[in-house]
Amino acid sequence: MKNVFRKLAIVAICTMAFSANSSAQKADKEDYKNDKKEFRSSLTDDQKAMWKAERKKRKIFHKEFKATLKADQKAIMADESLSKEDQEKKLSTTLSPSQREMWENNKKQVRENKKAFKNSMTAGQKKSYKNMEHRGEGEANHKKKHLEKSDD
């Protein structure tokens, strides 16, 4: 009888811990969405145009870059067992010189555009952006840790 109560107590404690963790994750996700909404609403029309133009450039690059990929490279990108970071590392070892140059030029351009965008931001926008980025990193780290645990 004591064993039954112990098992029930363990199950109840585990359930409560899981439930609390799940609630905290939902709250973090909501906070991230609110921070993102607040940040985007604070942007000027010029900043919104910069943001949209950068997004459009990234989409074009991804489409053009994907068109250069060979079958084995596409297989790496389609491998769901790899995290995005691992996919990028593995893919980088298979890039041709022209693909590598294309990749590096894009990274350089993105960095320059990000710097220009950040230079256009007010102190309040920078603070809001930093909050949003921090929460987004937390969410990404949680997903990464979750994936690593599921691999074990």
Side-chain angles (χ1 to χ4, degrees):
M1 192 72 156
K2 284 185 180 181
N3 285 340
V4 172
F5 286 123
R6 282 184 187 159
K7 288 179 182 177
L8 286 174
I10 290 171
V11 169
I13 290 170
C14 290
T15 303
M16 289 183 347
F18 178 74
S19 176
N21 189 24
S22 179
S23 297
Q25 289 172 4
K26 287 179 184 177
D28 284 347
K29 198 171 193 174
E30 282 300 312
D31 289 343
Y32 174 72
K33 285 181 181 180
N34 290 337
D35 287 346
K36 190 174 178 180
K37 188 180 275 189
E38 179 185 328
F39 172 72
R40 288 202 173 153
S41 69
S42 73
L43 297 177
T44 65
D45 290 340
D46 289 341
Q47 289 170 327
K48 287 178 184 176
M50 285 174 74
W51 188 281
K52 284 182 181 178
E54 178 60 22
R55 183 169 162 83
K56 188 175 182 179
K57 286 178 189 176
R58 285 185 185 188
K59 284 184 177 184
I60 291 169
F61 168 76
H62 283 283
K63 187 176 181 181
E64 290 173 352
F65 186 74
K66 270 188 165 180
T68 69
L69 296 178
K70 296 179 181 153
D72 59 329
Q73 293 170 325
K74 288 180 182 178
I76 293 169
M77 296 302 291
D79 187 352
E80 293 180 7
S81 68
L82 298 173
S83 68
K84 291 288 182 192
E85 195 174 272
D86 291 339
Q87 284 177 342
E88 189 174 317
K89 284 179 185 175
K90 196 170 181 180
L91 182 66
S92 70
T93 63
T94 67
L95 295 178
S96 69
S98 62
Q99 288 174 321
R100 187 167 307 284
E101 182 181 354
M102 187 179 188
W103 186 268
E104 292 301 324
N105 287 341
N106 180 64
K107 280 175 66 172
K108 182 180 177 187
Q109 187 64 47
V110 167
R111 261 188 254 117
E112 290 171 1
N113 291 344
K114 190 173 183 178
K115 186 177 180 181
F117 184 79
K118 282 188 174 185
N119 288 338
S120 76
M121 291 170 32
T122 65
Q125 288 173 327
K126 286 179 182 178
K127 184 177 179 184
S128 178
Y129 183 77
K130 192 173 184 176
N131 286 340
M132 180 184 74
E133 243 184 356
H134 176 71
R135 289 192 198 281
E137 287 172 5
E139 188 173 316
N141 287 338
H142 168 72
K143 288 178 183 176
K144 185 177 173 182
K145 287 177 185 173
H146 177 71
L147 288 172
E148 288 169 357
K149 285 181 183 177
S150 66
D151 290 341
D152 294 339

